[in-house]
């Protein structure tokens, strides 16, 4: 699944090429869902899909999704592709949400993206090797699909890590301090 707005910097061409290659390697059961609003002025995704898959089963584009609907899909996805190049220095709000779903996540190895540490997250290079690395990641994730217990374990581990990094855990006296400051006013 490719979550979020489908803009020109989401490496959509690379995703299509990698998916096409992975599917051609004997995995016709692989499915690709673009879960978000298409930005045709930046990248004509549906047009490219129709050209690459003139008949048969092809990648789907959902259109705009509410945050709740997107989170449901992130929780069900076996693999989320959170790719962006150039990154303009920002981080991704989708990346931790995808990792919390328990499925695999592939992201880029530049900017703030590789700073998110999780067993669920694999990084790939941008540039000439991106399609090959992405194809390899798709095939590896597909081979490991159906690991319900491993997925639940990963979701629990991600939730524990998130809780350990929460303000309440990092600053146990923060609530008391805030209450004290409020009482002084």
């Amino acid at each position: 699944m490719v979550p979020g707005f489908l803009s020109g910097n989401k490496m959509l061409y690379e995703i299509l090429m990698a998916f096409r290659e992975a599917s051609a390697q004997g995995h016709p059961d692989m499915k690709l869902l673009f879960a978000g609003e298409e930005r045709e002025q930046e990248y004509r995704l549906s047009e490219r899909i129709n050209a690459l898959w003139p008949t048969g089963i092809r990648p789907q584009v959902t259109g705009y999704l509410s945050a709740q609907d997107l989170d449901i899909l992130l929780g069900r996805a076996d693999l989320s592709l959170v790719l962006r190049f150039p990154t303009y220095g920002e981080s991704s709000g989708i990346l931790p949400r995808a990792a919390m779903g328990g499925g695999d996540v592939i992201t880029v190895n530049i900017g703030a993206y590789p700073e998110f540490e999780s067993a669920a997250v694999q990084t790939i290079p941008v540039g000439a090797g991106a399609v090959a690395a992405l194809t390899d990641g798709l095939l590896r994730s597909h081979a490991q699909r159906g690991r319900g217990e491993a997925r639940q374990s990963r979701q629990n581990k991600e939730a524990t890590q998130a809780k350990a990094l929460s303000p309440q855990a990092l600053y146990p006296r923060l609530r008391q301090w805030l209450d004290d400051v409020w009482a002084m006013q």
Side-chain angles (χ1 to χ4, degrees):
M1 176 175 82
V2 180
F5 290 109
L6 305 171
S7 60
N9 63 346
K10 293 284 182 83
M11 297 178 64
L12 301 175
Y13 172 78
E14 289 84 350
I15 292 168
L16 290 173
M17 293 298 98
F19 179 72
R20 186 173 167 93
E21 176 63 28
S23 297
Q25 291 187 27
H27 300 287
D29 60 327
M30 290 179 81
K31 292 180 175 57
L32 178 59
L33 178 67
F34 291 92
E37 182 179 336
E38 187 172 353
R39 301 278 173 92
E40 289 185 23
Q41 69 277 18
E42 294 181 42
Y43 190 85
R44 296 184 167 285
L45 179 60
S46 292
E47 188 177 295
R48 302 276 170 93
I49 291 171
N50 291 334
L52 291 166
W53 289 272
T55 61
I57 298 173
R58 63 180 79 174
Q60 300 294 308
V61 179
T62 65
Y64 178 81
L65 296 169
S66 69
Q68 181 180 9
D69 289 341
L70 183 58
D71 283 339
I72 289 169
L73 289 177
L74 286 168
R76 293 179 179 169
D78 293 320
L79 173 65
S80 294
L81 305 174
V82 182
L83 306 172
R84 186 175 291 183
F85 180 75
T87 67
Y88 307 113
E90 84 285 4
S91 62
S92 172
I94 290 285
L95 182 57
R97 288 165 62 193
M100 291 291 291
D104 294 332
V105 181
I106 298 176
T107 192
V108 293
N109 67 352
I110 58 170
Y113 291 78
E115 293 176 9
F116 183 82
E117 294 183 15
S118 167
V121 178
Q122 168 192 337
T123 61
I124 63 163
V126 297
V131 172
L134 188 50
T135 301
D136 182 56
L138 289 171
L139 292 170
R140 188 177 25 239
S141 179
H142 183 70
Q144 297 175 3
R145 194 171 51 163
R147 319 153 277 168
E149 291 175 11
R151 183 184 185 110
Q152 185 60 48
S153 174
R154 189 182 293 166
Q155 283 176 324
N156 292 342
K157 185 184 276 186
E158 293 293 338
T160 300
Q161 182 179 358
K163 187 175 181 179
L165 296 174
S166 70
Q168 295 87 351
L170 293 173
Y171 308 104
R173 292 192 21 85
L174 178 62
R175 183 75 218 164
Q176 183 61 48
W177 179 80
L178 290 172
D179 290 343
D180 292 346
V181 169
W182 182 257
M184 290 190 291
Q185 294 183 8

